[in-house]
Amino acid sequence: MKFSDASAQPMIEARALAFERRDERIFGPLDFTLVAGSIGLIEGDNGSGKTTLLRVLAGLLRPTAGDVRVLGAAPGSEDARAAAASMGHLLGLKGDLSALENLRIGIGLYGCKAGADPHAMLERVGLEGYAEEPVRTLSAGQKKRTALARLALLPARLWLLDEPYANLDRHGIAVVNALLAAHADAGGAALVTSHGAVRFHQDVSCTIRLPA
Amino acid sequence: MKFSDASAQPMIEARALAFERRDERIFGPLDFTLVAGSIGLIEGDNGSGKTTLLRVLAGLLRPTAGDVRVLGAAPGSEDARAAAASMGHLLGLKGDLSALENLRIGIGLYGCKAGADPHAMLERVGLEGYAEEPVRTLSAGQKKRTALARLALLPARLWLLDEPYANLDRHGIAVVNALLAAHADAGGAALVTSHGAVRFHQDVSCTIRLPA
Amino acid sequence: MSAVGLADGFRAMLQRDLLLAWRRRGDALLPVLYAVIVATLFPFALGPEHALLARISGGVVLVTVLLAMLLSLDAVFRGDLDDGALEQMVLSPQPLALLVAARLLAYWLVTALPLIVVAPLLAYMLGLERAAQPVLLLALLLATALLALIGTVLTALTVGTRRSGMLLALMLLPLAVPIVIFAAGAVGAAQQGLPWVAPVAWLAAALALALVLAPLACATALRIALDS
Amino acid sequence: MSAVGLADGFRAMLQRDLLLAWRRRGDALLPVLYAVIVATLFPFALGPEHALLARISGGVVLVTVLLAMLLSLDAVFRGDLDDGALEQMVLSPQPLALLVAARLLAYWLVTALPLIVVAPLLAYMLGLERAAQPVLLLALLLATALLALIGTVLTALTVGTRRSGMLLALMLLPLAVPIVIFAAGAVGAAQQGLPWVAPVAWLAAALALALVLAPLACATALRIALDS
Amino acid sequence: MNAFKLWYHKLGSPPYFYVFAGYIQPWLWTIALALAAAGLYGGLVLAPPDYQQGDAFRIIFVHVPAAWMSLFVYGVMAVSAFIAVVWRPKMAEVLAMESASIGAAFTLIALVTGSLWGRPTWGTYWTWDARLTSELVLLFIYLGVIGLYHAFEDPRQGARAASFLAVVGAVNLPIVHYSVVWWNTLHQGTTVRYFGPSSIAPSMLWPLLAMTIAAKFYYGASLMGRARVSLLSLERGKDWVAEIVRKEPAHG
Amino acid sequence: MDKFLAMGGYADFVWPAYAVFFLVLAADVLATVLRRRRVLRELRGRIARRSARQRGSVSA
Ligand code: HEM
Ligand SMILES: Nc1ncnc2c1ncn2[C@@H]1O[C@H](COP(=O)(O)OP(=O)(O)OP(=O)(O)O)[C@@H](O)[C@H]1O
Ligand SMILES: Nc1ncnc2c1ncn2[C@@H]1O[C@H](COP(=O)(O)OP(=O)(O)OP(=O)(O)O)[C@@H](O)[C@H]1O
Ligand SMILES: [Mg+2]
Ligand SMILES: [Mg+2]
């Protein structure tokens, strides 16, 4: 299914993409294409610019050179925002609200994937029984799982994930991999950063290496 | 050297140690002894109480049952504080100060290991050239390395480390392992949490498993 | 996949903010307490001379309420910035101005409304004439809304900076001056039995304008501030 | 291993806080600007009647300065709590009271001192008599120090709680009232040419007591607050 | 139209502007200093004492040019800030931000000289009068713009944010001015009126004009100098900057 | 000359006003000059560093 015609549509196309801050080069120039149904890996050491690249693709930062399209639109444009969802080092969860309430907010802002249910999703990421706890009292890994559950509920076709494996135990890593596989099978695409310490289970369609 | 007489002195002794919050058992009862020159591993899944255990040992939380001694003193007492240093999920770095300034503050509060030099230590953890940058502009892994450098400068004989490997690349993991090995060789001891996703290179003298 | 409507986003944000305020309802009371403290301290600082207090009561209550609002203005986007929720807002498919409008409405409801409720009491304690009370209430209603709208635009501008607090105060002062002048003008006129409609009408006109423009300006400012 | 001395810890903390304040010197100016704003807004709210403004000038400056301090009180330990630095302080081998004393000194230097420097100017703009100026300065010196000491103890108590803001204001009010009464009493007496030594002496006595007790109380309160 | 476009594009390009500014700067300086010297001589020496105010009126030759400049510079800043917000050319950002500092300097001068003048004429350094108050507010707006600019780490981002504020502040300025006027008439204040400009004799008028024009040329000269430095720092990765740095004497 | 300096008794106000005028403007000019020096110093450092790096990478 992954290589059907419909899903070969390019999700991200970057040509000579580069970013500099105060005219110091952070990354690039990069050329890559991420097609629907595939998972891309951004590899690089600490400080090589992985987070910065994801922020450029999300439209939070403006690239200083080159050209990039997200589903044919400029990153950060309304179309691109409707199609992409991201998870960064900061999870964007409200500590005073419960896990479930946090999911509901995400749905209110981004909409909900057809047939997805917050309760079921919390169970799927291994948070049975924590739905009503304030997020502030969850452990580091449990917070991460909440953010993953929110992500998986959204209708976004493109995921931009910054170190989704950090703070997770073995079961949590399996959960991420299962979510990624399901997402790709459904015709979505994901871009995942990693510094290569955690083994990535899946066949990765493209790897973007950022030199240090 | 690790098994010489002097270093077999017990650093942490826990007897039937347990902690509950709102009379829900978080961990325990646990019995373990960590001797000088050795490294202990706290293993457990997300939410199993690893962070909580470390906070109890540091003296930030009071155990609800059992007995624990850090170098013969109660955790959190002046003697125990003089001997222990910890690194948690929150690194305690000041974003507006440079990496070097942050190290200096640590030294002012905790003292400095004989012969240790902040500049050299920053190089050792792979932060050459970042000494004068405000910590806020460092990447996630670079922040972690700064915290590690601070830790390694202090005269503390006992290290309590919560997920020291998270956010680090392969080189960063090697740095942590090297620091741990040197610390143990010098007669220190360390307690490290992990959920087993990252391979721990070293012979671990004791493993504390926390059931989920 | 079910697309998300505009009303959904607005409702989700408003609900979220009200819920958060409710969870931390103690914090929401802070501005009120602050205003009470100021109004209580004034008689101590000036001596309990009734005529003097009554003379300045309208102005003191007004300044106090607006300053109490200022106090919490800095925090309008701070929490969302620190935990990454602001980024999620910016990245969501909803128009940012809409989400900002919801945030603003919640802010006004949580911060200004309790202040307006308690203001007549403070004015009474300081000896404001009964006749001027409705005018004070009206002036407060308009002035707080206007201040909230203008203030959040400026807050949005400073969101990405290190020195937000001072800057905010610095930038807000020139914009707050006309508001205070008109509001105090209305109350003062009412105290002296003069017509007070003109300054209130000016405030209302400014408010109408700000209601339309502020969310848009705020969204623009947020985008500028986050782009670093 | 070189042991660390008491003076080292005090110095390190003080240096750190002053350095941080310098890096964010904009923020440090916030209370000053806030005070300037209040003093600027008052004439707008009350009308530019010189005699009236002069009559209330001492009280207004006093209340304004103390409130400007209150503004930043909430943040004394907030930053250190959020980024984990407070834990590092508690866990360090230094006596916590010592570190807290350094924190306090830095807080006073950064927040109150600029306010005290700018207060005479504000008082002049509002028309305070030349003769009462030194008394105002003296009263401010004592009152700000006292408020800083008492305020940080309360802040420490509320540091771990969710509703710190409200609690703080609630607990501080009863303690701030006597300070304002004595300080304003001294200034008022000086404005009228009466003797003003007695209230100042009371403030000084209270300050001496607080200087000894506050750091200890603060350290205890912090330990209690963190243990959750 | 075409000539204008060409000129706009040329001056909008930083290396060209740098050279152009360097070329006209000495001329601006010369004119400013010459006019100031003439104005000072005429104002301090030639003009007779005022029959009412004695020699105190001589403050007019510094106060009024500064006060006028404080408004004029704001106008220039607001226009280029607007351009900067809408079309984002780098030059407009630079000119707006550098104008802010100069404008703040003139505003400060107007405030201080005004209050020094107020003491002998009104008997007080400060009163809550409409014009005084709105000038104080103007200073706050300038400081807000400067502060916002410097608060960002990325200067271009800071320039965009501060330009936005400058435009908003421009809308506010007339509001402040008129509201303050109305406010003063609403309550019966103890406001002192200025003496009318019509009472100015020609012997006072020409030095005043000379000083005013000198101030305008000073503004131009200072702005060119500031813009040049700002461009060097903003374009520091570019080759033309490296070229200039290489040519510049070691401590220029 | 003394009469000129006395400004008809208003010397305390006239001369400070002129002093403020010229000092503030002088400070404005001085700030620009100092900033220019600093920027040039930084730029020189940057250029030196960059060419050193280029040489290093060529030889490596
Ligand atoms: C702190 C005190 C003062 C401030 C802030 C101040 C401010 C200003 C400002 C902003 C202007 C320009 C107004 C415009 O062009 O619309 C101005 C003009 C002027 N000021 Fe002042 N002023 C002060 C005190 C004085 C005093 C004490 C006098 C003389 C008694 C004075 C005499 C004038 C004159 C003659 C003009 C020019 C005439 C005009 O444009 O209408 N000013 N001042
Ligand atoms: N706001 C900022 N201002 C200035 N420099 C920054 C900023 N954020 C990041 N940097 C710098 O940009 C470089 C890339 O940072 P980035 O966060 O993208 O790295 P990363 O690949 O995500 O690293 P990590 O694996 O540690 O998360 C680093 O050298 C960092 O110091
Ligand atoms: N402040 C708190 N209040 C209430 N419950 C808490 C609090 N902190 C942690 N808990 C709960 O205690 C349990 C243990 O949390 P802890 O943070 O110790 O886990 P952990 O082993 O460190 O997990 P992780 O690997 O995810 O970091 C979790 O179930 C968590 O929900
Ligand atoms: Mg990163
Ligand atoms: Mg943990």
mmCIF file with all atom_site columns, all heavy atoms in Angstrom, chain E residues 102-116:
data_model
loop_
_atom_site.group_PDB
_atom_site.id
_atom_site.type_symbol
_atom_site.label_atom_id
_atom_site.label_alt_id
_atom_site.label_comp_id
_atom_site.label_asym_id
_atom_site.label_entity_id
_atom_site.label_seq_id
_atom_site.pdbx_PDB_ins_code
_atom_site.Cartn_x
_atom_site.Cartn_y
_atom_site.Cartn_z
_atom_site.occupancy
_atom_site.B_iso_or_equiv
_atom_site.pdbx_formal_charge
_atom_site.auth_seq_id
_atom_site.auth_comp_id
_atom_site.auth_asym_id
_atom_site.auth_atom_id
_atom_site.pdbx_PDB_model_num
ATOM 1   N N   . ILE E 1 102 ? 17.923 59.371 17.740 1.00 0.00 ? 102 ILE E N   1
ATOM 2   C CA  . ILE E 1 102 ? 18.119 60.811 17.589 1.00 0.00 ? 102 ILE E CA  1
ATOM 3   C C   . ILE E 1 102 ? 16.883 61.556 18.080 1.00 0.00 ? 102 ILE E C   1
ATOM 4   O O   . ILE E 1 102 ? 16.977 62.570 18.783 1.00 0.00 ? 102 ILE E O   1
ATOM 5   C CB  . ILE E 1 102 ? 18.414 61.158 16.116 1.00 0.00 ? 102 ILE E CB  1
ATOM 6   C CG1 . ILE E 1 102 ? 19.544 60.268 15.596 1.00 0.00 ? 102 ILE E CG1 1
ATOM 7   C CG2 . ILE E 1 102 ? 18.780 62.611 15.978 1.00 0.00 ? 102 ILE E CG2 1
ATOM 8   C CD1 . ILE E 1 102 ? 19.802 60.436 14.120 1.00 0.00 ? 102 ILE E CD1 1
ATOM 9   N N   . GLY E 1 103 ? 15.727 61.029 17.725 1.00 0.00 ? 103 GLY E N   1
ATOM 10  C CA  . GLY E 1 103 ? 14.492 61.662 18.178 1.00 0.00 ? 103 GLY E CA  1
ATOM 11  C C   . GLY E 1 103 ? 14.395 61.693 19.687 1.00 0.00 ? 103 GLY E C   1
ATOM 12  O O   . GLY E 1 103 ? 13.988 62.696 20.290 1.00 0.00 ? 103 GLY E O   1
ATOM 13  N N   . ALA E 1 104 ? 14.772 60.597 20.318 1.00 0.00 ? 104 ALA E N   1
ATOM 14  C CA  . ALA E 1 104 ? 14.731 60.558 21.778 1.00 0.00 ? 104 ALA E CA  1
ATOM 15  C C   . ALA E 1 104 ? 15.670 61.606 22.350 1.00 0.00 ? 104 ALA E C   1
ATOM 16  O O   . ALA E 1 104 ? 15.345 62.281 23.338 1.00 0.00 ? 104 ALA E O   1
ATOM 17  C CB  . ALA E 1 104 ? 15.108 59.164 22.275 1.00 0.00 ? 104 ALA E CB  1
ATOM 18  N N   . ALA E 1 105 ? 16.837 61.787 21.727 1.00 0.00 ? 105 ALA E N   1
ATOM 19  C CA  . ALA E 1 105 ? 17.781 62.792 22.216 1.00 0.00 ? 105 ALA E CA  1
ATOM 20  C C   . ALA E 1 105 ? 17.156 64.182 22.140 1.00 0.00 ? 105 ALA E C   1
ATOM 21  O O   . ALA E 1 105 ? 17.200 64.959 23.109 1.00 0.00 ? 105 ALA E O   1
ATOM 22  C CB  . ALA E 1 105 ? 19.069 62.742 21.394 1.00 0.00 ? 105 ALA E CB  1
ATOM 23  N N   . PHE E 1 106 ? 16.526 64.505 21.010 1.00 0.00 ? 106 PHE E N   1
ATOM 24  C CA  . PHE E 1 106 ? 15.899 65.829 20.872 1.00 0.00 ? 106 PHE E CA  1
ATOM 25  C C   . PHE E 1 106 ? 14.757 65.998 21.868 1.00 0.00 ? 106 PHE E C   1
ATOM 26  O O   . PHE E 1 106 ? 14.566 67.078 22.441 1.00 0.00 ? 106 PHE E O   1
ATOM 27  C CB  . PHE E 1 106 ? 15.392 66.019 19.439 1.00 0.00 ? 106 PHE E CB  1
ATOM 28  C CG  . PHE E 1 106 ? 16.453 66.500 18.493 1.00 0.00 ? 106 PHE E CG  1
ATOM 29  C CD1 . PHE E 1 106 ? 16.803 65.768 17.376 1.00 0.00 ? 106 PHE E CD1 1
ATOM 30  C CD2 . PHE E 1 106 ? 17.106 67.703 18.737 1.00 0.00 ? 106 PHE E CD2 1
ATOM 31  C CE1 . PHE E 1 106 ? 17.782 66.212 16.513 1.00 0.00 ? 106 PHE E CE1 1
ATOM 32  C CE2 . PHE E 1 106 ? 18.096 68.157 17.871 1.00 0.00 ? 106 PHE E CE2 1
ATOM 33  C CZ  . PHE E 1 106 ? 18.440 67.408 16.764 1.00 0.00 ? 106 PHE E CZ  1
ATOM 34  N N   . THR E 1 107 ? 13.990 64.936 22.083 1.00 0.00 ? 107 THR E N   1
ATOM 35  C CA  . THR E 1 107 ? 12.892 65.041 23.031 1.00 0.00 ? 107 THR E CA  1
ATOM 36  C C   . THR E 1 107 ? 13.412 65.317 24.435 1.00 0.00 ? 107 THR E C   1
ATOM 37  O O   . THR E 1 107 ? 12.865 66.151 25.171 1.00 0.00 ? 107 THR E O   1
ATOM 38  C CB  . THR E 1 107 ? 12.080 63.736 23.022 1.00 0.00 ? 107 THR E CB  1
ATOM 39  O OG1 . THR E 1 107 ? 11.802 63.377 21.679 1.00 0.00 ? 107 THR E OG1 1
ATOM 40  C CG2 . THR E 1 107 ? 10.793 63.898 23.778 1.00 0.00 ? 107 THR E CG2 1
ATOM 41  N N   . LEU E 1 108 ? 14.466 64.618 24.780 1.00 0.00 ? 108 LEU E N   1
ATOM 42  C CA  . LEU E 1 108 ? 15.058 64.841 26.094 1.00 0.00 ? 108 LEU E CA  1
ATOM 43  C C   . LEU E 1 108 ? 15.515 66.292 26.229 1.00 0.00 ? 108 LEU E C   1
ATOM 44  O O   . LEU E 1 108 ? 15.269 66.958 27.241 1.00 0.00 ? 108 LEU E O   1
ATOM 45  C CB  . LEU E 1 108 ? 16.241 63.884 26.281 1.00 0.00 ? 108 LEU E CB  1
ATOM 46  C CG  . LEU E 1 108 ? 16.896 63.922 27.653 1.00 0.00 ? 108 LEU E CG  1
ATOM 47  C CD1 . LEU E 1 108 ? 15.925 63.397 28.697 1.00 0.00 ? 108 LEU E CD1 1
ATOM 48  C CD2 . LEU E 1 108 ? 18.166 63.096 27.672 1.00 0.00 ? 108 LEU E CD2 1
ATOM 49  N N   . ILE E 1 109 ? 16.165 66.788 25.174 1.00 0.00 ? 109 ILE E N   1
ATOM 50  C CA  . ILE E 1 109 ? 16.627 68.179 25.212 1.00 0.00 ? 109 ILE E CA  1
ATOM 51  C C   . ILE E 1 109 ? 15.439 69.124 25.378 1.00 0.00 ? 109 ILE E C   1
ATOM 52  O O   . ILE E 1 109 ? 15.471 70.056 26.201 1.00 0.00 ? 109 ILE E O   1
ATOM 53  C CB  . ILE E 1 109 ? 17.391 68.525 23.920 1.00 0.00 ? 109 ILE E CB  1
ATOM 54  C CG1 . ILE E 1 109 ? 18.667 67.696 23.841 1.00 0.00 ? 109 ILE E CG1 1
ATOM 55  C CG2 . ILE E 1 109 ? 17.726 70.000 23.873 1.00 0.00 ? 109 ILE E CG2 1
ATOM 56  C CD1 . ILE E 1 109 ? 19.398 67.856 22.534 1.00 0.00 ? 109 ILE E CD1 1
ATOM 57  N N   . ALA E 1 110 ? 14.377 68.881 24.623 1.00 0.00 ? 110 ALA E N   1
ATOM 58  C CA  . ALA E 1 110 ? 13.216 69.765 24.716 1.00 0.00 ? 110 ALA E CA  1
ATOM 59  C C   . ALA E 1 110 ? 12.650 69.770 26.122 1.00 0.00 ? 110 ALA E C   1
ATOM 60  O O   . ALA E 1 110 ? 12.301 70.819 26.674 1.00 0.00 ? 110 ALA E O   1
ATOM 61  C CB  . ALA E 1 110 ? 12.159 69.325 23.712 1.00 0.00 ? 110 ALA E CB  1
ATOM 62  N N   . LEU E 1 111 ? 12.592 68.581 26.722 1.00 0.00 ? 111 LEU E N   1
ATOM 63  C CA  . LEU E 1 111 ? 12.045 68.492 28.083 1.00 0.00 ? 111 LEU E CA  1
ATOM 64  C C   . LEU E 1 111 ? 12.919 69.246 29.071 1.00 0.00 ? 111 LEU E C   1
ATOM 65  O O   . LEU E 1 111 ? 12.423 70.030 29.892 1.00 0.00 ? 111 LEU E O   1
ATOM 66  C CB  . LEU E 1 111 ? 11.941 67.028 28.507 1.00 0.00 ? 111 LEU E CB  1
ATOM 67  C CG  . LEU E 1 111 ? 10.699 66.277 28.076 1.00 0.00 ? 111 LEU E CG  1
ATOM 68  C CD1 . LEU E 1 111 ? 10.866 64.797 28.341 1.00 0.00 ? 111 LEU E CD1 1
ATOM 69  C CD2 . LEU E 1 111 ? 9.497  66.800 28.836 1.00 0.00 ? 111 LEU E CD2 1
ATOM 70  N N   . VAL E 1 112 ? 14.217 69.012 29.002 1.00 0.00 ? 112 VAL E N   1
ATOM 71  C CA  . VAL E 1 112 ? 15.100 69.604 30.016 1.00 0.00 ? 112 VAL E CA  1
ATOM 72  C C   . VAL E 1 112 ? 15.207 71.114 29.814 1.00 0.00 ? 112 VAL E C   1
ATOM 73  O O   . VAL E 1 112 ? 15.063 71.893 30.766 1.00 0.00 ? 112 VAL E O   1
ATOM 74  C CB  . VAL E 1 112 ? 16.492 68.941 29.967 1.00 0.00 ? 112 VAL E CB  1
ATOM 75  C CG1 . VAL E 1 112 ? 17.431 69.639 30.932 1.00 0.00 ? 112 VAL E CG1 1
ATOM 76  C CG2 . VAL E 1 112 ? 16.384 67.477 30.297 1.00 0.00 ? 112 VAL E CG2 1
ATOM 77  N N   . THR E 1 113 ? 15.420 71.535 28.570 1.00 0.00 ? 113 THR E N   1
ATOM 78  C CA  . THR E 1 113 ? 15.515 72.986 28.359 1.00 0.00 ? 113 THR E CA  1
ATOM 79  C C   . THR E 1 113 ? 14.184 73.657 28.669 1.00 0.00 ? 113 THR E C   1
ATOM 80  O O   . THR E 1 113 ? 14.154 74.755 29.226 1.00 0.00 ? 113 THR E O   1
ATOM 81  C CB  . THR E 1 113 ? 15.906 73.300 26.904 1.00 0.00 ? 113 THR E CB  1
ATOM 82  O OG1 . THR E 1 113 ? 14.973 72.681 26.037 1.00 0.00 ? 113 THR E OG1 1
ATOM 83  C CG2 . THR E 1 113 ? 17.298 72.812 26.588 1.00 0.00 ? 113 THR E CG2 1
ATOM 84  N N   . GLY E 1 114 ? 13.101 72.984 28.346 1.00 0.00 ? 114 GLY E N   1
ATOM 85  C CA  . GLY E 1 114 ? 11.789 73.550 28.649 1.00 0.00 ? 114 GLY E CA  1
ATOM 86  C C   . GLY E 1 114 ? 11.603 73.749 30.133 1.00 0.00 ? 114 GLY E C   1
ATOM 87  O O   . GLY E 1 114 ? 11.142 74.795 30.587 1.00 0.00 ? 114 GLY E O   1
ATOM 88  N N   . SER E 1 115 ? 12.000 72.742 30.901 1.00 0.00 ? 115 SER E N   1
ATOM 89  C CA  . SER E 1 115 ? 11.762 72.918 32.331 1.00 0.00 ? 115 SER E CA  1
ATOM 90  C C   . SER E 1 115 ? 12.763 73.913 32.922 1.00 0.00 ? 115 SER E C   1
ATOM 91  O O   . SER E 1 115 ? 12.430 74.628 33.867 1.00 0.00 ? 115 SER E O   1
ATOM 92  C CB  . SER E 1 115 ? 11.763 71.583 33.078 1.00 0.00 ? 115 SER E CB  1
ATOM 93  O OG  . SER E 1 115 ? 12.943 70.906 32.883 1.00 0.00 ? 115 SER E OG  1
ATOM 94  N N   . LEU E 1 116 ? 13.958 74.017 32.330 1.00 0.00 ? 116 LEU E N   1
ATOM 95  C CA  . LEU E 1 116 ? 14.882 75.061 32.788 1.00 0.00 ? 116 LEU E CA  1
ATOM 96  C C   . LEU E 1 116 ? 14.320 76.446 32.468 1.00 0.00 ? 116 LEU E C   1
ATOM 97  O O   . LEU E 1 116 ? 14.551 77.407 33.188 1.00 0.00 ? 116 LEU E O   1
ATOM 98  C CB  . LEU E 1 116 ? 16.240 74.888 32.106 1.00 0.00 ? 116 LEU E CB  1
ATOM 99  C CG  . LEU E 1 116 ? 17.121 73.794 32.698 1.00 0.00 ? 116 LEU E CG  1
ATOM 100 C CD1 . LEU E 1 116 ? 18.321 73.543 31.808 1.00 0.00 ? 116 LEU E CD1 1
ATOM 101 C CD2 . LEU E 1 116 ? 17.572 74.186 34.092 1.00 0.00 ? 116 LEU E CD2 1
#
